Amino acid sequence: MRKVWFLLPLLLLACTPPGPSLSLSPSRALVGEEVEARLRGITGLEAQVFVGGVEAEVTLRVEERVRFRVPAVPGGPKPVRVVAGNREARGELGVLGTVDPNRILLRLPLGRDPKLPPGFTLIRKDDLSGCGFALAELGYSGEALGKALEELEALDPSYKADPESLWSLGGISGGEAVGAPLAHQRGRTGQGVKVAVLDTGVDATIPQLPGYDFVEEDTTPQDAFPGGHGTGVAGLVKEVAPDAGIIPVRVCDENGVCRASRVVRGVCWVVQNRHGSTVLNLSLGGDTPVEALNLALQAALSQGIPVAVAAGNQGNQGSPAHYPAAFDLLGLVAVGALEAAPGTLPGWQPAPYSTQGTYVDISAPGTNLNCPLPGGGTGSCTGTSFATPLVAGAMALWLQVDPSLTPAQVQQRLAQDAKPLPYPLQAVGAGMLDLSQRP
């Protein structure tokens, strides 16, 4: 009899149904791509899906599966939770972060040539005998990178597919942080809009439209500043609005001195030579207001030109008012800088150097951003100067969608979509620039 009682708990355990579970297809995907969760022990009819703690848009709900779009989360392995009532299934999704969506790496046995389905092209193959495998670089012309990786691995058990990850020297992609890749997937690229960069000039390695040099008084506004301030600013505009035209206007010399007279003339030159939708980027400023610049900016705004300006880098010096950011003009957007918060969870906090004030309208990443260098290559940029072009690029996206928007309306839309942050308004304004949903 004692044997029966001894075995009874084991029999009860054996009869207990397994808990809810799920499998994902594809198991890796880009932000914005669709993933299907096949469910066991839980219904998908009223399910919510969370990826890395962020709720995902569900595009299909049926009894045994749900389909969802990968939300804007950093790349890497992320936990997936499907929740229905008091039941929950868990899994893990490989979110493809900073990768080339048109390239795939395929590992295969030495001496083998890959057999590829339509949509893939062989760019290069090397037998890496020292490592014991062959590596093929493939071009991919489809739209769902995650499914492409899955499709390749299904062709042959010996195939292993990887994304072409685009690593850096440790900087941050400002465009990715504010959701620009999702905007690009919606066709928002700044096509037809021009962004005038009033700065130290722009290196010829960045595609640009005709501009003007108010330092040397010629039509070749090359960037002579060590490290390329204006080149970095223009590159960050293009990161958010890759199809926007860059108008280089050099108003700052090789020492980084931006005389107010040159800035005023530069603004008025843009107004006079404006053709079509245009945005002004001023990643400059100082502690003394100049009324002539105030009037020049009013003229630009009255002509439908929204203005993005740096809030300043004097946060550690008591945050004195920074001009032209502190001018009280509708459609002039003062941009504060953020930096990644410490810890393992993604988050952003005001950069300590970012000038605070009641005039700060919005904030964007500004610390350790990847930005282009004169002559090619990538460097690291820090300052409200480099948060500002992310906002100027966002302005270009809005004007692409609706060229009739006034500068005040562009400012309003940026503020409405900003991601709230738990910090004072004078530090972050309406919050962090967010392009993941609109325009």
Side-chain angles (χ1 to χ4, degrees), residues 197-221:
V197 176
L198 276 67
D199 215 288
T200 61
V202 177
D203 188 77
T205 54
I206 293 183
Q208 54 194 264
L209 300 170
Y212 196 81
D213 186 333
F214 285 93
V215 177
E216 298 181 351
E217 295 294 347
D218 60 33
T219 57
T220 309

Side-chain angles (χ1 to χ4, degrees), residues 41-248:
I42 186 173
T43 177
L45 292 176
E46 298 180 356
Q48 292 177 285
V49 180
F50 300 87
V51 179
V54 177
E55 186 168 4
E57 175 193 358
V58 176
T59 58
L60 174 72
R61 288 184 176 92
V62 294
E63 182 66 39
E64 296 181 348
R65 56 194 172 99
V66 293
R67 194 176 298 148
F68 61 91
R69 294 191 189 279
V70 181
V73 294
K78 293 291 179 289
V80 175
R81 298 168 50 232
V82 177
V83 181
N86 60 355
R87 297 182 70 79
E88 178 178 311
R90 292 175 175 261
E92 185 175 88
L93 177 69
V95 177
L96 304 175
T98 306
V99 301
D100 186 339
N102 303 119
R103 287 288 187 99
I104 292 175
L105 304 182
L106 182 65
R107 287 176 291 140
L108 61 158
L110 287 168
R112 292 264 300 272
D113 289 325
K115 297 178 181 179
L116 303 177
F120 300 88
T121 57
L122 178 62
I123 296 172
R124 172 176 176 169
K125 195 204 77 145
D126 296 281
D127 280 329
L128 306 177
S129 55
C131 295
F133 59 83
L135 183 69
E137 294 181 35
L138 308 180
Y140 174 60
S141 58
E143 296 181 354
L145 183 61
K147 288 183 179 178
L149 297 173
E150 189 174 75
E151 180 181 0
L152 285 170
E153 292 187 341
L155 291 175
D156 189 309
S158 66
Y159 286 3
K160 297 298 178 185
D162 287 303
E164 176 75 287
S165 187
L166 303 177
W167 292 325
S168 70
L169 297 175
I172 294 169
S173 168
E176 182 180 346
V178 299
L182 292 175
H184 301 163
Q185 290 177 18
R186 299 192 299 269
R188 313 314 191 201
T189 61
Q191 181 71 43
V193 183
K194 304 174 185 67
V195 179
V197 176
L198 276 67
D199 215 288
T200 61
V202 177
D203 188 77
T205 54
I206 293 183
Q208 54 194 264
L209 300 170
Y212 196 81
D213 186 333
F214 285 93
V215 177
E216 298 181 351
E217 295 294 347
D218 60 33
T219 57
T220 309
Q222 279 280 28
D223 193 345
F225 186 75
H229 191 277
T231 300
V233 167
L236 289 165
V237 170
K238 296 286 279 184
E239 190 172 321
V240 174
D243 291 333
I246 298 295
I247 302 174

